[in-house]
Amino acid sequence: MDDLRPDPPVPAGTLDGLLAAALLQLVPPAHRGREVFAALATDIEVPLLPPLRDALRKLRLQAAREDAALLRLAGHLGLDDAALLACALARAVEFDPLIAAAVAVLQSNGTETEARPTLGLLARLACLCEPEVTPPAMAARIARGPALASGLLAWSAEALPLVQRSLRLQAALLDSLGDGPPAIDASFGTQALRAHAASAHQPPQAWREIGQALRRLAGIARRDATPTALILRGASTEEAAALLVQASGMAAAVVAGACRVHRGDLAETAAAPALAPGLEALLLAGDRVPLFLIEPAPGERVQLPQFHWYRGPLLIAATREGDIELPTGIASHSWTLRLPPAEDRAQLWRDALGSGHALAASEVDDLAGRYRIGNSTLQAIARSAVAAAHAQQRAASLSDVQLALHADIAVHARGLSSLAEPISLEADAEPALVLPPSLRQDLDLLRRRCLARETMVEGRGAALAARYAPGVRALFLGASGTGKTLAAQWLAQLLGKPLFRVDLAAVSSKYIGETEKNLSTMLARAEQVDAVLLFDEADSLFGTRTEVRQANDRFANSQTNYLLQRIESFEGIALLTSNSKQRFDEAFMRRLDHVIDFPLPSVTERRALWLAHLGDAHALSDAQLNRLAAEVDLAGGHIRNIVLAAALLAGARAPVQWPQLLSPIALEYAKLGRRPPDALAVPR
């Protein structure tokens, strides 16, 4: 038995010491001389103990370090002495080879040994505390008690009679009920529990008042064991969760996969979902507050699970859409996070960059004013810029921040890049943008509106500020090829923001509610990274509502109604393009800040377009350029196609000549169903 002898000996002032002494009392007289029991008697410090019930009472009042987690959990679950002994023995056989060997011998039936305790053995052990209770009655009490109901204990086998079935401690709880730090992360089938690390960053000043209210209410709920839901909504569940955990000052664990989602009024009201067995016990063993990350779609209801043993605050980080349905008897408090204002963002930049950066105060203020991004995105960009500068052994500069900003925004646009395509802005759009002066003035006014969108209503009337949202919505109208998309690239470049073209195929869905969900996700992510969204052929999404003649019409109109409302509350920059104004709903046109017409280019503008596309690689005379501008009445997009085809005919690096333009011109007119100018017809 030398390999079974623990070192140091099992102390009597612990649950394991009590178990060792109690097990010796269950040994039949004929077997007391067996080696395993002799070793067990030798290795406990005090073989003669006071009555087991008194010893357990003393341990509950003054727990040893290795028993603190289990005794704390026993208090939360309301475990009596019988259940506590059962859990303690189930734990001991997993870690103490001597106690495991003793249990195996006590349960030996001559053919096989079971090291995990059976219900029958646990009942006999518990009867040492309560001699007035019979073993069958004690077995029934343990089987119906909270240790099994909570999932703290689980059955090991099902084929045997009840008293012969062994019990085991949930595997996820083994590391949490010892003397080391509790291991929270565990999977329970479709549900999971994982630790959530508190953020080291200070929240923006604008969020401090919410944080103070959270701290006060969480403290009251924790102290009074009052089930209270603290709900924080925002564009980013990551930011909401960080503030919830930081403000509450409590260790949190994310509960995943435990909520049930219903689609609006189409779902019948059902009982709250149940937590997986053992998950709640692990939550209590680790002294954690449950945290839920919820991202419902518009019109969805999310039902939270029912807690049976945990009493205290529930932290819920949710997006702004959908509804949250709490179990009966839970009070709730809710707040909404907005993106921090420019003055807060300036301080956030200073804190995130640290004291060793090389940015001037005006440069930090310009960053804060120009980039209306979320706190988590800002912190990540600052870390990336500082790391890049430190790698070169210098202080972070404005160029480091700008490089990190453009590189990292696409990474942090989770949920956006799957629904919208990032458009590269590496090439300068200014030389290619040939527009009449009046159109340039309209675009410049739009640019100024985008830059001043946060401060426009400061000092203005109450009616102007009452419903103002710092978003910009502009519609570019014009025939294909008139430069609408190029103008969007030009605007994004001047603003220094990433440009994403909305993928209508990825956004639209045949399933009810999925289109709204995709749009909600996309708009929320765009707000977080302050990206410019480009909706090409926007009338397919924001078209006119139709008369309801069948069920599909009702759902299509419902989708349009949602879009009209959501685009009005959108706090980013949305650019929409279309060929026709008549395809849009009148209510939608009212919600737009700018409607800009892109006319077909004049003769002068067409000449500039030809030169912008041909560059220096052409052999055309001024007279030939003038003929092209005067006779080929096409927009810039068509001119681009003609020049590409002519360059292919000319060959690599060879200058484009007049004859090579004639056939591409005829083909481009044919695509439009029009006759080319007679003077430029291709000879046959």
Side-chain angles (χ1 to χ4, degrees):
M1 287 291 144
D2 290 342
D3 58 331
L4 298 178
R5 188 168 290 117
D7 185 23
V10 177
T14 64
L15 284 172
D16 283 1
L18 291 181
L19 287 170
L23 288 173
L24 289 175
Q25 297 181 46
L26 298 179
V27 179
H31 295 289
R32 286 176 184 169
R34 295 188 64 165
E35 189 177 4
V36 63
F37 299 120
L40 193 62
T42 301
D43 286 319
I44 58 174
E45 290 180 347
V46 184
L48 297 176
L49 296 170
L52 194 54
R53 181 182 296 178
D54 295 339
L56 283 173
R57 185 180 300 114
K58 183 178 179 181
L59 271 183
R60 286 182 187 267
L61 294 175
Q62 189 175 3
R65 186 188 64 177
E66 54 263 44
D67 296 328
L70 180 55
L71 289 170
R72 182 174 61 247
L73 181 56
H76 285 304
L77 299 179
L79 301 184
D80 60 14
D81 288 344
L84 177 58
L85 281 173
C87 295
L89 187 54
R91 181 189 66 169
V93 298
E94 302 291 346
F95 298 110
D96 190 321
L98 187 55
I99 291 180
V103 168
V105 173
L106 283 173
Q107 297 179 153
S108 174
N109 57 11
T111 57
E112 60 181 75
T113 57
E114 170 61 75
R116 290 192 171 103
T118 63
L119 181 60
L121 177 63
L122 292 173
R124 290 167 56 205
L125 184 67
C127 285
L128 296 176
C129 287
E130 302 180 48
E132 67 277 9
V133 181
T134 63
M138 185 65 75
R141 197 168 87 189
I142 295 173
R144 293 194 301 264
L148 276 160
S150 67
L152 174 57
L153 291 179
W155 298 107
S156 290
E158 298 182 1
L160 299 173
L162 200 62
V163 292
Q164 293 182 351
R165 288 168 61 181
S166 59
L167 288 154
R168 60 178 175 81
L169 203 66
Q170 281 276 13
L173 289 159
L174 290 175
D175 292 335
S176 298
L177 298 179
D179 58 355
I184 291 296
D185 299 85
S187 176
F188 298 82
T190 58
Q191 299 182 21
L193 200 66
R194 62 178 185 273
H196 187 281
S199 172
H201 304 291
Q202 288 299 315
Q205 184 64 37
W207 296 358
R208 299 285 172 82
E209 186 175 342
I210 294 176
Q212 291 169 1
L214 280 168
R215 184 177 297 107
R216 183 176 64 257
L217 291 168
I220 293 172
R222 191 72 179 270
R223 184 188 67 233
D224 298 341
T226 305
T228 305
L230 304 177
I231 305 171
L232 197 54
R233 290 180 177 267
S236 166
T237 55
E238 177 186 352
E239 290 184 357
L243 182 59
L244 279 167
V245 175
Q246 188 176 47
S248 67
M250 302 173 186
V254 178
V255 182
C259 297
R260 183 187 296 139
V261 179
H262 297 296
R263 180 66 198 166
D265 56 0
L266 300 179
E268 297 180 359
T269 302
L275 287 169
L279 188 148
E280 200 168 350
L282 179 58
L283 190 71
L284 292 167
D287 198 24
R288 298 276 178 156
V289 177
L291 170 63
F292 294 88
L293 306 180
I294 300 175
E295 297 186 359
E300 285 185 347
R301 286 189 300 127
V302 178
Q303 277 188 301
L304 260 68
Q306 181 72 56
F307 285 84
H308 296 284
W309 290 277
Y310 174 81
R311 296 290 183 268
L314 309 180
L315 307 182
I316 303 171
T319 51
R320 297 172 189 167
E321 307 286 356
D323 189 27
I324 299 171
E325 187 174 315
L326 301 172
T328 305
I330 295 184
S332 67
H333 303 273
S334 182
W335 301 266
T336 299
L337 283 184
R338 301 292 178 187
L339 283 174
E343 57 269 22
D344 271 14
R345 294 199 298 273
Q347 187 59 47
L348 288 172
W349 277 114
R350 294 186 182 96
D351 293 342
L353 291 170
S355 58
H357 68 81
L359 278 75
S362 59
E363 291 176 327
V364 175
D365 291 338
D366 182 64
L367 277 176
R370 181 178 292 270
Y371 300 106
R372 194 174 183 272
I373 55 180
N375 187 28
S376 57
T377 306
L378 184 152
Q379 301 291 347
I381 291 168
R383 285 196 300 270
S384 180
V386 170
H390 283 182
Q392 301 179 25
Q393 298 182 344
R394 56 179 177 79
S397 65
L398 179 62
S399 61
D400 293 318
V401 175
Q402 290 173 333
L403 286 172
L405 193 146
H406 290 287
D408 286 10
I409 274 185
V411 175
H412 289 87
R414 295 184 303 274
L416 177 58
S417 55
S418 61
L419 300 169
E421 172 197 1
I423 296 178
S424 174
L425 301 178
E426 295 178 0
D428 188 5
E430 173 62 32
L433 194 65
V434 178
L435 301 172
S438 60
L439 181 53
R440 276 195 173 272
Q441 290 177 2
D442 291 343
L443 288 174
D444 186 63
L445 182 62
L446 173 59
R447 179 189 63 82
R448 291 163 57 191
R449 170 69 181 269
C450 293
L451 290 173
R453 58 197 171 110
E454 281 192 294
T455 58
M456 282 186 62
V457 297
E458 291 181 1
R460 308 301 173 187
L464 187 63
R467 295 184 59 193
Y468 179 76
V472 178
R473 298 152 292 273
L475 174 62
F476 293 172
L477 289 170
S480 177
T482 50
K484 302 185 292 296
T485 302
L486 190 61
Q489 291 179 257
W490 171 83
L491 181 64
Q493 282 180 335
L494 289 181
L495 297 174
K497 301 183 187 302
L499 178 64
F500 283 80
R501 189 202 313 268
V502 177
D503 186 347
L504 298 182
V507 169
S508 302
S509 174
K510 64 180 180 179
Y511 298 106
I512 296 172
E514 282 299 309
T515 300
E516 291 92 328
K517 181 177 183 178
N518 292 336
L519 282 163
S520 172
T521 300
M522 182 180 64
L523 294 173
R525 298 306 185 200
E527 287 175 345
Q528 278 295 105
V529 299
D530 203 20
V532 179
L533 287 182
L534 174 62
F535 293 83
D536 263 341
E537 307 298 333
D539 45 277
S540 61
L541 275 177
F542 301 90
T544 304
R545 287 168 284 194
T546 61
E547 181 182 351
V548 177
R549 296 179 179 176
Q550 53 186 351
N552 288 343
D553 295 333
R554 180 164 65 89
F555 291 122
N557 286 345
S558 172
Q559 174 182 303
T560 302
N561 290 337
Y562 168 75
L563 288 172
L564 296 180
Q565 295 168 7
R566 185 62 181 88
I567 200 69
E568 188 172 21
S569 64
F570 178 55
E571 297 187 358
I573 300 171
L575 305 178
L576 299 86
T577 71
S578 179
N579 297 337
S580 173
K581 186 177 182 178
Q582 283 69 36
R583 297 177 182 174
F584 290 94
D585 194 284
E586 291 183 4
F588 176 70
M589 297 299 293
R590 178 181 59 80
R591 289 169 165 85
L592 295 171
D593 301 304
H594 292 259
V595 178
I596 300 177
D597 286 308
F598 282 69
L600 289 170
S602 65
V603 173
T604 303
E605 290 149 10
R606 289 200 295 269
R607 192 179 195 281
L609 284 169
W610 280 107
L611 286 172
H613 285 90
L614 287 166
D616 296 329
H618 71 87
L620 304 180
S621 65
D622 287 343
Q624 289 171 329
L625 284 170
N626 292 338
R627 281 191 65 186
L628 289 173
E631 298 180 26
V632 181
D633 56 342
L634 298 176
H638 302 291
I639 293 174
R640 174 181 178 274
N641 293 340
I642 293 169
V643 172
L644 285 174
L648 185 62
L649 293 174
R653 301 183 182 276
V656 173
Q657 301 188 32
W658 178 263
Q660 292 153 355
L661 290 168
L662 299 181
S663 179
I665 289 172
L667 289 173
E668 202 64 26
Y669 270 97
K671 286 197 300 186
L672 298 173
R674 296 171 53 192
R675 284 174 53 86
D678 292 337
L680 299 178
V682 181
R684 295 184 179 276

